[in-house]
Amino acid sequence: MTITTNRRILAIDPICSPSELVERFPSSDAVAELVQATRNRISDILHKRDDRLLVITGPCSVHDPKSALEYAERLAPLRAQYANSLELVMRVYFEKPRTTIGWKGLINDPDLNQSYNVDKGLAVARKVLLDINSLGIPAACEFLDAVTGQYYADLVSWGAIGARTTESQVHRELASGLSCPIGFKNGTKGDVDIAADAVIAARAQHIFLSPTELGTTAQFTTAGNDDGHIILRGGSQPNYDEQSVADAVTMLQDRGIDTGIMIDFSHANSQKQYQNQLRVGTDVANQIADGNTNIVSCMIESHLIEGKQPIAPADQLVYGQSITDACIGFAQTETLLQTLSEAVLERRRK
Ligand SMILES: O=C[C@H](O)[C@H](O)COP(=O)(O)O
Ligand SMILES: C=C(OP(=O)(O)O)C(=O)O
């Protein structure tokens, strides 16, 4: 008989199940408490029960656990310093959506050399998340893959669905069952409607197939996620300005969405020029200081060292510099956080 299956599959390599990995790197009471308490605080911010600003800041992608941990260590005192005005959460992104092809993140290729040791990548990612949370820093991840979350979602306080996947039914179903609040980016060309559609879709119950913690396939029924919100990341034009924010708010109100907006200072809002994040951030801070209560959150791409470098063998890389999108450096991040904090305090005084 003609073989009709696996005609284009070159290899199938077994990997550990989610429950095996969780057993190897278990969470702790303190970490679980941090994760759940942060999710609750984020929910309060998104629903405007808390007037602080949620700030997701950190590298475009984690490629080196050591520098990610150093970033978290340096963020810890700032998180405490600004606790009255900002809920600081670290961007800890392991899965990169690519426009065409390229390095797809630490889970997919942890050794940065196209050896694609995904089993190792999952373990490294879980360990990094555990270590960062153990420092008292909550973590934000993008859920790009509908399967990998089972390996680490218990350690995530906020999740993103990216510009390239916001319109995907699979991702909306996944979001409806995630335990954390979830932001949906507008599309790469700037379509904000699809992010609002995603918030509405993820709010509903869904029934779909997914792997269980044991690695078998099961039918899942979700409760729906009330903590979905949109993220303005720009498209063919930036969309962080006052008019774009007002347009997005009107659209959300018309559609019965009550969660506030996150503004991504990077990506198409910075027109991929990392230094522009400071200008975007200052403009958004001014809108907040002027009393805009619909802006409840923002995102910064930031690393220890500004800029970016081409991917190379690990021992040839500049320590603490991005190998995906260019980031602002840590000192610039500190300045931006201070500006955002002052803006929140000014808004509170109004
Ligand atoms: O945030 C990261 C990038 O913008 C995204 O992964 C797309 O990257 P690429 O256009 O370099 O593939
Ligand atoms: C890929 C990202 O963003 P976007 O989906 O907006 O391109 C990201 O935030 O890493």
Side-chain angles (χ1 to χ4, degrees):
M1 201 167 81
T2 307
I3 296 168
T4 57
T5 56
N6 292 342
R7 302 274 315 201
R8 293 196 171 95
I9 303 298
L10 300 180
I12 300 180
D13 300 310
I15 61 162
C16 71
S17 68
S19 59
E20 283 163 347
L21 191 65
V22 172
E23 215 170 285
R24 258 177 81 199
F25 299 108
S27 190
S28 64
D29 286 346
V31 166
E33 170 59 30
L34 174 72
V35 171
Q36 195 48 46
T38 307
R39 290 171 177 168
N40 293 342
R41 284 192 295 268
I42 293 173
S43 175
D44 285 344
I45 290 172
L46 293 173
H47 292 279
K48 303 179 193 168
R49 298 184 289 262
D50 178 340
D51 72 350
R52 295 176 311 135
L53 190 73
L54 166 65
V55 181
I56 310 290
T57 182
C60 175
S61 55
V62 173
H63 67 269
D64 162 29
K66 189 166 178 272
S67 61
L69 274 178
E70 184 178 334
Y71 189 97
E73 276 162 4
R74 291 180 67 174
L75 206 57
L78 298 171
R79 181 172 150 80
Q81 181 184 343
Y82 294 122
N84 179 38
S85 52
L86 309 178
E87 180 70 36
L88 270 184
V89 175
M90 181 170 161
R91 229 186 104 104
V92 190
Y93 276 32
F94 298 115
E95 302 184 82
K96 298 310 297 173
R98 303 311 305 230
T99 303
T100 52
I101 53 171
W103 182 69
K104 289 196 276 187
L106 196 77
I107 291 179
N108 188 259
D109 189 13
D111 295 314
L112 318 178
N113 60 3
Q114 302 180 339
S115 56
Y116 305 114
N117 188 346
V118 176
D119 209 24
K120 174 179 173 183
L122 286 165
V124 176
R126 185 167 174 87
K127 175 81 168 52
V128 169
L129 279 172
L130 257 182
D131 291 346
I132 288 175
N133 275 288
S134 301
L135 291 170
I137 296 294
C141 289
E142 173 167 345
F143 290 96
L144 177 61
D145 182 293
V147 174
T148 47
Q150 282 285 22
Y151 290 83
Y152 61 80
D154 57 314
L155 304 172
V156 177
S157 293
W158 176 90
I161 302 295
R164 293 162 188 78
T165 42
T166 280
E167 218 164 357
S168 147
Q169 178 154 293
V170 171
H171 289 79
R172 293 170 175 186
E173 288 167 345
L174 171 74
S176 78
L178 284 171
S179 301
C180 58
I182 187 95
F184 294 94
K185 297 267 190 115
N186 66 250
T188 53
K189 300 291 178 286
D191 188 346
V192 182
D193 280 27
I194 60 165
D197 288 344
V199 172
I200 292 168
R203 221 158 54 178
Q205 279 199 341
H206 289 274
I207 292 155
F208 56 96
L209 301 186
S210 188
T212 66
E213 286 147 21
L214 298 174
T216 53
T217 307
Q219 174 176 322
F220 282 63
T221 304
T222 63
N225 193 335
D226 288 333
D227 293 329
H229 65 93
I230 69 162
I231 307 172
L232 298 179
R233 50 85 81 197
S236 30
Q237 313 277 342
N239 60 9
Y240 63 85
D241 59 287
E242 223 174 309
Q243 188 56 53
S244 301
V245 173
D247 291 346
V249 169
T250 305
M251 187 267 292
L252 292 175
Q253 279 166 353
D254 288 349
R255 307 185 71 171
I257 296 172
D258 67 347
T259 44
I261 291 173
M262 174 182 284
I263 300 184
D264 178 357
F265 298 166
S266 190
H267 300 97
N269 271 337
S270 66
Q271 296 174 301
K272 286 252 191 181
Q273 301 300 312
Y274 71 92
Q275 304 93 332
N276 283 347
Q277 289 193 71
L278 296 167
R279 193 163 49 71
V280 176
T282 304
D283 185 292
V284 171
N286 287 337
Q287 294 181 53
I288 293 170
D290 285 347
N292 189 322
T293 53
N294 293 305
I295 303 171
V296 297
S297 172
C298 62
M299 175 179 283
I300 306 168
E301 285 197 306
S302 140
H303 210 335
L304 299 174
I305 306 282
E306 67 182 80
K308 70 170 179 177
Q309 60 188 321
I311 189 163
D315 59 357
Q316 290 168 30
L317 288 172
V318 176
Y319 175 75
Q321 192 179 49
S322 176
I323 62 167
T324 47
D325 282 353
C327 295
I328 58 170
F330 205 84
Q332 294 166 313
T333 308
E334 286 177 311
T335 306
L336 200 44
L337 293 177
Q338 189 182 344
T339 305
L340 290 168
S341 170
E342 283 165 5
V344 171
L345 297 177
E346 181 63 27
R347 178 170 70 182
R348 194 175 283 162
R349 279 193 285 271
K350 288 218 149 60

